[in-house]
Amino acid sequence: MQQTKTVYQIGIDVGSTTTKIVALEPESGRVAYADYQRHHADQVKSVSDAVWRLAGHFPDGEFRFALTGSGAKSLAEAVGLPYVQEVVANSIALRARYERVGTAIELGGQDAKIIFFRKNSTSGQLEAADMRMNGSCAGGTGAFLDEIASLLHVPIEEFDSLAAKGDCVYDVSGRCGVYAKTDIQPLLNQGVSRENIALSAFHAVAKQTIGGLAQGLEIQRPVAFEGGPLTFNPTLVRVFQERLGLADDEILIPERPELMMARGAA
Protein backbone atom coordinates (compact mmCIF):
# COMPACT_ATOMS: atom_id res chain seq x y z
CA MET A 1 0.00 0.00 0.00
CA GLN A 2 1.43 3.36 -1.05
CA GLN A 3 2.14 5.74 1.85
CA THR A 4 0.36 9.11 1.67
CA LYS A 5 2.77 12.00 1.34
CA THR A 6 2.63 14.87 3.79
CA VAL A 7 1.28 18.03 2.16
CA TYR A 8 2.93 21.16 3.58
CA GLN A 9 1.45 24.66 3.35
CA ILE A 10 4.14 27.01 2.04
CA GLY A 11 4.15 30.77 2.32
CA ILE A 12 6.75 32.82 0.41
CA ASP A 13 7.22 36.50 1.24
CA VAL A 14 9.11 38.35 -1.49
CA GLY A 15 10.11 41.65 0.05
CA SER A 16 12.13 44.61 -1.14
CA THR A 17 15.46 43.14 0.01
CA THR A 18 14.79 39.62 1.30
CA THR A 19 12.89 36.45 0.45
CA LYS A 20 11.32 34.49 3.28
CA ILE A 21 9.78 31.02 3.08
CA VAL A 22 7.81 29.13 5.74
CA ALA A 23 6.49 25.55 5.67
CA LEU A 24 3.63 24.71 8.05
CA GLU A 25 2.69 21.21 9.08
CA PRO A 26 -0.86 20.52 7.89
CA GLU A 27 -2.30 19.25 11.19
CA SER A 28 -0.62 21.32 13.89
CA GLY A 29 0.19 24.48 11.93
CA ARG A 30 3.67 24.34 13.45
CA VAL A 31 6.55 25.82 11.51
CA ALA A 32 8.38 22.82 10.12
CA TYR A 33 10.88 24.77 8.02
CA ALA A 34 11.87 28.39 7.47
CA ASP A 35 14.44 30.24 5.38
CA TYR A 36 15.40 33.93 5.24
CA GLN A 37 17.81 35.26 2.60
CA ARG A 38 18.71 38.57 0.97
CA HIS A 39 17.84 38.42 -2.72
CA HIS A 40 20.22 41.17 -3.96
CA ALA A 41 17.54 42.49 -6.37
CA ASP A 42 17.15 39.10 -8.13
CA GLN A 43 13.78 38.15 -6.71
CA VAL A 44 12.92 35.41 -9.20
CA LYS A 45 16.18 33.55 -8.62
CA SER A 46 15.83 33.93 -4.86
CA VAL A 47 12.39 32.32 -4.93
CA SER A 48 13.63 29.52 -7.18
CA ASP A 49 16.59 28.87 -4.89
CA ALA A 50 14.34 28.92 -1.82
CA VAL A 51 11.99 26.36 -3.35
CA TRP A 52 14.89 24.07 -4.29
CA ARG A 53 16.23 24.26 -0.73
CA LEU A 54 12.75 23.47 0.55
CA ALA A 55 12.45 20.47 -1.76
CA GLY A 56 15.84 19.22 -0.59
CA HIS A 57 14.70 19.45 3.03
CA PHE A 58 11.48 17.51 2.35
CA PRO A 59 12.40 15.13 -0.50
CA ASP A 60 9.19 13.13 -0.05
CA GLY A 61 6.89 16.05 0.68
CA GLU A 62 4.19 17.71 -1.38
CA PHE A 63 3.54 21.43 -1.25
CA ARG A 64 0.79 24.01 -1.59
CA PHE A 65 2.15 27.49 -2.21
CA ALA A 66 0.93 31.03 -1.66
CA LEU A 67 2.97 34.20 -2.20
CA THR A 68 2.91 37.58 -0.51
CA GLY A 69 5.07 40.68 -0.32
CA SER A 70 5.84 43.74 -2.41
CA GLY A 71 7.67 41.73 -5.08
CA ALA A 72 5.32 38.76 -5.26
CA LYS A 73 2.19 39.73 -7.17
CA SER A 74 3.54 39.61 -10.73
CA LEU A 75 5.52 36.47 -9.94
CA ALA A 76 2.43 34.75 -8.52
CA GLU A 77 0.45 35.65 -11.64
CA ALA A 78 3.24 34.40 -13.91
CA VAL A 79 3.42 30.96 -12.31
CA GLY A 80 -0.29 30.63 -11.47
CA LEU A 81 -0.01 30.62 -7.67
CA PRO A 82 -2.27 32.34 -5.14
CA TYR A 83 -1.26 35.81 -4.01
CA VAL A 84 -2.15 37.15 -0.56
CA GLN A 85 -1.95 40.89 0.03
CA GLU A 86 0.69 41.40 2.73
CA VAL A 87 -1.49 43.30 5.21
CA VAL A 88 -4.04 40.48 4.99
CA ALA A 89 -1.27 37.91 5.46
CA ASN A 90 -0.04 39.82 8.48
CA SER A 91 -3.47 39.99 10.12
CA ILE A 92 -3.95 36.24 9.56
CA ALA A 93 -0.62 35.42 11.21
CA LEU A 94 -1.27 37.73 14.17
CA ARG A 95 -4.81 36.41 14.63
CA ALA A 96 -3.45 32.86 14.84
CA ARG A 97 -1.04 33.91 17.58
CA TYR A 98 -2.84 36.56 19.67
CA GLU A 99 -6.36 37.23 20.89
CA ARG A 100 -5.78 40.97 20.94
CA VAL A 101 -3.49 43.26 18.94
CA GLY A 102 -3.92 47.01 18.81
CA THR A 103 -1.24 47.94 16.29
CA ALA A 104 1.53 46.24 14.35
CA ILE A 105 4.73 48.07 13.41
CA GLU A 106 6.55 46.30 10.61
CA LEU A 107 9.88 47.48 9.26
CA GLY A 108 11.22 45.97 6.06
CA GLY A 109 14.28 46.48 3.95
CA GLN A 110 12.93 49.48 2.05
CA ASP A 111 9.47 50.11 3.45
CA ALA A 112 7.77 50.55 6.79
CA LYS A 113 4.18 49.90 7.78
CA ILE A 114 1.90 50.60 10.71
CA ILE A 115 -1.24 48.45 10.70
CA PHE A 116 -4.15 49.38 12.95
CA PHE A 117 -6.37 46.50 14.05
CA ARG A 118 -9.89 46.11 15.41
CA LYS A 119 -12.20 43.25 16.33
CA ASN A 120 -14.90 42.51 13.76
CA SER A 121 -18.23 43.38 15.38
CA THR A 122 -19.89 40.25 13.96
CA SER A 123 -17.25 37.52 14.04
CA GLY A 124 -15.03 38.93 16.77
CA GLN A 125 -12.00 38.18 14.61
CA LEU A 126 -9.01 40.46 14.38
CA GLU A 127 -9.00 42.51 11.17
CA ALA A 128 -7.01 45.39 9.73
CA ALA A 129 -8.85 48.68 10.20
CA ASP A 130 -6.28 50.98 8.62
CA MET A 131 -2.70 50.95 7.36
CA ARG A 132 0.01 53.51 6.76
CA MET A 133 3.01 52.73 4.60
CA ASN A 134 6.22 54.54 3.78
CA GLY A 135 6.66 53.36 0.22
CA SER A 136 8.25 56.32 -1.57
CA CYS A 137 11.48 56.56 0.43
CA ALA A 138 13.64 54.13 2.40
CA GLY A 139 13.94 56.50 5.36
CA GLY A 140 13.34 54.73 8.66
CA THR A 141 13.82 51.23 7.20
CA GLY A 142 16.45 48.52 7.07
CA ALA A 143 18.14 50.20 4.12
CA PHE A 144 18.43 53.39 6.20
CA LEU A 145 20.20 51.45 8.96
CA ASP A 146 22.47 49.81 6.38
CA GLU A 147 23.54 53.29 5.21
CA ILE A 148 24.27 54.50 8.74
CA ALA A 149 26.20 51.33 9.56
CA SER A 150 28.28 51.84 6.42
CA LEU A 151 28.93 55.47 7.38
CA LEU A 152 30.15 54.32 10.79
CA HIS A 153 32.21 51.50 9.24
CA VAL A 154 30.35 48.94 11.34
CA PRO A 155 29.02 45.61 10.02
CA ILE A 156 25.23 45.71 10.16
CA GLU A 157 25.33 42.56 12.33
CA GLU A 158 27.14 44.58 15.03
CA PHE A 159 25.01 47.72 14.81
CA ASP A 160 22.58 46.76 17.56
CA SER A 161 25.27 45.89 20.10
CA LEU A 162 26.92 49.24 19.31
CA ALA A 163 23.67 51.16 19.85
CA ALA A 164 23.01 49.28 23.09
CA LYS A 165 26.12 50.94 24.56
CA GLY A 166 24.93 54.47 23.71
CA ASP A 167 23.88 56.81 26.50
CA CYS A 168 23.05 60.07 24.72
CA VAL A 169 20.65 60.78 21.86
CA TYR A 170 21.31 63.42 19.19
CA ASP A 171 18.87 64.82 16.66
CA VAL A 172 19.25 62.82 13.43
CA SER A 173 16.80 62.91 10.54
CA GLY A 174 15.00 59.64 9.89
CA ARG A 175 13.28 60.81 6.71
CA CYS A 176 16.18 60.09 4.36
CA GLY A 177 19.64 58.57 4.49
CA VAL A 178 21.11 61.63 2.76
CA TYR A 179 19.64 63.97 5.38
CA ALA A 180 20.83 61.64 8.14
CA LYS A 181 24.39 61.69 6.82
CA THR A 182 24.23 65.50 6.77
CA ASP A 183 23.33 65.40 10.47
CA ILE A 184 25.79 62.67 11.41
CA GLN A 185 28.99 63.90 9.76
CA PRO A 186 29.27 67.04 11.95
CA LEU A 187 28.66 64.89 15.02
CA LEU A 188 31.52 62.61 14.02
CA ASN A 189 33.71 65.67 13.45
CA GLN A 190 32.85 66.83 16.98
CA GLY A 191 33.97 63.52 18.42
CA VAL A 192 30.55 62.07 19.24
CA SER A 193 30.93 58.33 19.82
CA ARG A 194 29.75 55.79 17.26
CA GLU A 195 27.69 54.19 20.05
CA ASN A 196 25.66 57.37 20.55
CA ILE A 197 25.27 57.91 16.81
CA ALA A 198 23.99 54.35 16.40
CA LEU A 199 21.52 54.87 19.24
CA SER A 200 20.49 58.20 17.71
CA ALA A 201 19.85 56.44 14.39
CA PHE A 202 17.46 54.05 16.15
CA HIS A 203 15.63 57.01 17.67
CA ALA A 204 15.47 58.59 14.19
CA VAL A 205 13.81 55.42 12.85
CA ALA A 206 11.29 55.32 15.69
CA LYS A 207 10.53 59.03 15.39
CA GLN A 208 10.02 58.76 11.63
CA THR A 209 7.77 55.70 11.99
CA ILE A 210 5.63 57.08 14.79
CA GLY A 211 5.38 60.67 13.57
CA GLY A 212 5.64 60.20 9.83
CA LEU A 213 3.47 57.12 9.37
CA ALA A 214 0.85 57.24 12.10
CA GLN A 215 -0.27 60.65 10.74
CA GLY A 216 -2.30 61.51 13.82
CA LEU A 217 -3.86 58.06 14.31
CA GLU A 218 -3.47 56.70 17.83
CA ILE A 219 -1.18 53.69 18.19
CA GLN A 220 -3.36 51.32 20.19
CA ARG A 221 -1.87 48.81 22.61
CA PRO A 222 -0.62 46.12 22.67
CA VAL A 223 1.84 46.72 19.84
CA ALA A 224 3.35 43.90 17.77
CA PHE A 225 6.84 44.44 16.35
CA GLU A 226 7.71 42.63 13.13
CA GLY A 227 10.15 42.55 10.23
CA GLY A 228 13.88 42.02 9.94
CA PRO A 229 15.15 45.33 11.40
CA LEU A 230 13.01 44.85 14.52
CA THR A 231 13.93 41.17 14.77
CA PHE A 232 17.69 41.61 14.62
CA ASN A 233 17.85 44.90 16.56
CA PRO A 234 16.26 44.42 19.99
CA THR A 235 17.62 47.82 21.06
CA LEU A 236 15.41 49.36 18.37
CA VAL A 237 12.37 47.70 19.96
CA ARG A 238 13.44 49.17 23.31
CA VAL A 239 13.64 52.62 21.70
CA PHE A 240 10.10 52.24 20.34
CA GLN A 241 8.98 51.14 23.79
CA GLU A 242 10.48 54.26 25.36
CA ARG A 243 9.06 56.67 22.79
CA LEU A 244 5.57 55.09 22.93
CA GLY A 245 5.58 54.69 26.71
CA LEU A 246 4.76 50.97 26.49
CA ALA A 247 4.79 48.67 29.50
CA ASP A 248 6.49 45.31 29.05
CA ASP A 249 3.15 43.51 28.74
CA GLU A 250 2.08 45.90 25.99
CA ILE A 251 4.82 44.66 23.66
CA LEU A 252 4.18 41.65 21.43
CA ILE A 253 7.20 39.92 19.90
CA PRO A 254 5.99 37.00 17.77
CA GLU A 255 8.10 33.90 17.31
CA ARG A 256 10.35 34.61 14.31
CA PRO A 257 8.85 38.08 13.69
CA GLU A 258 10.77 38.41 10.42
CA LEU A 259 8.63 35.57 8.99
CA MET A 260 5.15 36.79 9.89
CA MET A 261 4.01 37.67 6.34
CA ALA A 262 5.22 34.34 4.98
CA ARG A 263 3.53 32.52 7.84
CA GLY A 264 0.27 34.33 7.19
CA ALA A 265 0.41 33.42 3.50
CA ALA A 266 1.01 29.79 4.43
Side-chain angles (χ1 to χ4, degrees):
M1 182 176 179
Q2 188 176 5
Q3 188 176 5
T4 304
K5 291 186 176 182
T6 302
V7 180
Y8 295 95
Q9 297 165 247
I10 312 300
I12 302 177
D13 175 11
V14 188
S16 54
T17 60
T18 59
T19 295
K20 289 77 70 176
I21 185 168
V22 166
L24 299 183
E25 290 184 346
E27 298 297 328
S28 67
R30 184 181 68 86
V31 175
Y33 173 85
D35 188 30
Y36 178 102
Q37 302 286 337
R38 291 201 178 218
H39 56 57
H40 304 291
D42 195 342
Q43 295 172 323
V44 173
K45 183 178 185 301
S46 74
V47 172
S48 175
D49 290 346
V51 171
W52 279 111
R53 286 192 295 270
L54 171 74
H57 193 81
F58 298 111
D60 297 322
E62 291 187 356
F63 311 109
R64 297 179 62 189
F65 291 92
L67 276 67
T68 189
S70 59
K73 189 171 185 180
S74 60
L75 179 59
E77 292 173 351
V79 296
L81 291 174
Y83 169 77
V84 184
Q85 202 277 338
E86 56 190 304
V87 174
V88 175
N90 191 23
S91 63
I92 290 170
L94 286 170
R95 188 168 66 222
R97 177 69 176 81
Y98 302 107
E99 290 186 5
R100 187 168 70 92
V101 181
T103 312
I105 295 176
E106 195 264 335
L107 300 185
Q110 293 183 356
D111 59 33
K113 290 183 285 294
I114 298 183
I115 307 170
F116 302 87
F117 291 97
R118 67 186 173 200
K119 285 287 187 75
N120 183 284
S121 58
T122 303
S123 66
Q125 287 191 327
L126 190 70
E127 64 180 14
D130 208 336
M131 189 268 283
R132 296 288 184 269
M133 181 174 179
N134 173 23
S136 61
C137 177
T141 67
F144 174 87
L145 294 176
D146 284 346
E147 285 190 58
I148 305 306
S150 176
L151 180 64
L152 298 180
H153 304 291
V154 177
I156 191 61
E157 295 81 10
E158 299 175 13
F159 195 82
D160 185 78
S161 61
L162 190 71
K165 298 172 185 174
D167 58 10
C168 185
V169 177
Y170 295 84
D171 189 22
V172 172
S173 172
R175 293 184 58 193
C176 173
V178 175
Y179 295 158
K181 290 177 182 178
T182 302
D183 291 335
I184 288 172
Q185 194 58 58
L187 295 175
L188 288 172
N189 295 341
Q190 294 165 25
V192 173
S193 71
R194 294 189 305 164
E195 289 83 356
N196 284 336
I197 290 176
L199 179 61
S200 299
F202 279 163
H203 276 270
V205 168
K207 181 172 63 176
Q208 170 65 18
T209 304
I210 296 166
L213 291 188
Q215 298 175 6
L217 292 176
E218 183 180 357
I219 295 178
Q220 299 286 344
R221 308 168 187 207
V223 180
F225 292 94
E226 309 169 315
L230 287 164
T231 299
F232 304 119
N233 296 290
T235 304
L236 180 56
V237 176
R238 177 174 62 80
V239 167
F240 270 100
Q241 179 181 9
E242 291 175 2
R243 297 189 77 97
L244 291 170
L246 301 175
D248 289 345
D249 62 358
E250 293 173 330
I251 297 173
L252 304 178
I253 307 292
E255 180 185 6
R256 302 294 301 272
E258 78 277 21
L259 301 174
M260 288 296 283
M261 306 298 181
R263 184 167 188 162

